[in-house]
Amino acid sequence: MQRYIQFADNLSAWFGKAFGWLVILMTVGMSYEVMVRYLFNNPTPWALDISFIMYGTLFMMGGAYTLSRGGHVRGDFLYRLWSDRTQARVDLALYFLFFFPGILALIFAGWKYAGRSWSYGEVSVNSPAGIPIYQFKTVIVAAGILLFIQGIAQVMRCILCIRTGTWPPLDWDVEETETILMKQITEETPHGPA
């Protein structure tokens, strides 16, 4: 199980980090748009569509990466009070009741949606530039498959936690600014924040 978990985590991390570079492309594209729109009074017909496509791709392809790092939102007000085994049992049930059916629906519906879009070379109707969007529809399927692979790893984490009583450690490479600041405060004052 550990080898599969590591494989899924590495795969999700690779895709998450690779698609994370879209932030830079979005920034450059939108900066260009602002410059030509306000300095030269010559807006582009494609900037809004491209920014939507890149943001949507970044958001969807980062889902499995976020899941692998435990970054998705949950109802922690109750969850954090439970023992690790109870958390794992609830998570395991929820993966099978909601996560996998939802992800499978995403994959199969996305497959039809993308197939139709590819068949007629769909372009954006919101833009006078007619930006092709059929390749973007394929991202729906790819993101679903990555989430499914990572979901299996999460189920294995739940099983390991139920067996051992503690959660297997998650890989982490990014930390919330709030967490970093709290660590700095507690390091500066030996008794915690005043």
Side-chain angles (χ1 to χ4, degrees), residues 86-150:
T86 302
Q87 290 176 355
R89 286 182 184 114
V90 169
D91 280 0
L92 188 61
L94 293 176
Y95 274 111
F96 286 107
L97 287 173
F98 298 107
F99 180 83
F100 286 116
I103 294 303
L104 286 171
L106 177 72
I107 293 169
F108 291 122
W111 186 268
K112 289 180 190 175
Y113 195 47
R116 247 189 334 247
S117 185
W118 277 89
S119 72
Y120 60 86
E122 185 177 7
V123 297
S124 173
V125 295
N126 298 322
S127 159
I131 304 292
I133 57 173
Y134 49 88
Q135 70 283 5
F136 175 59
K137 304 283 178 86
T138 308
V139 170
I140 298 167
V141 179
I145 291 169
L146 283 173
L147 279 165
F148 189 85
I149 292 168
Q150 188 61 48

Side-chain angles (χ1 to χ4, degrees), residues 160-190:
L160 288 172
C161 181
I162 291 168
R163 286 182 186 167
T164 64
T166 59
W167 284 105
L170 295 172
D171 287 343
W172 68 273
D173 45 14
V174 178
E175 205 165 10
E176 294 284 339
T177 305
E178 177 182 307
T179 306
I180 295 169
L181 292 173
M182 287 303 292
K183 283 182 184 177
Q184 288 174 350
I185 290 170
T186 55
E187 289 171 4
E188 291 172 4
T189 57

Side-chain angles (χ1 to χ4, degrees), residues 32-76:
Y32 174 78
E33 170 63 17
V34 168
M35 182 182 72
V36 298
R37 177 179 297 252
Y38 294 108
L39 291 180
F40 304 113
N41 197 25
N42 188 22
T44 63
W46 49 263
L48 185 63
D49 281 328
I50 294 297
S51 69
F52 283 163
I53 289 170
M54 283 194 283
Y55 178 72
T57 302
L58 172 65
F59 179 79
M60 292 180 68
M61 294 304 286
Y65 174 61
T66 305
L67 183 61
S68 76
R69 300 309 194 251
H72 285 288
V73 176
R74 67 169 78 239
D76 279 344

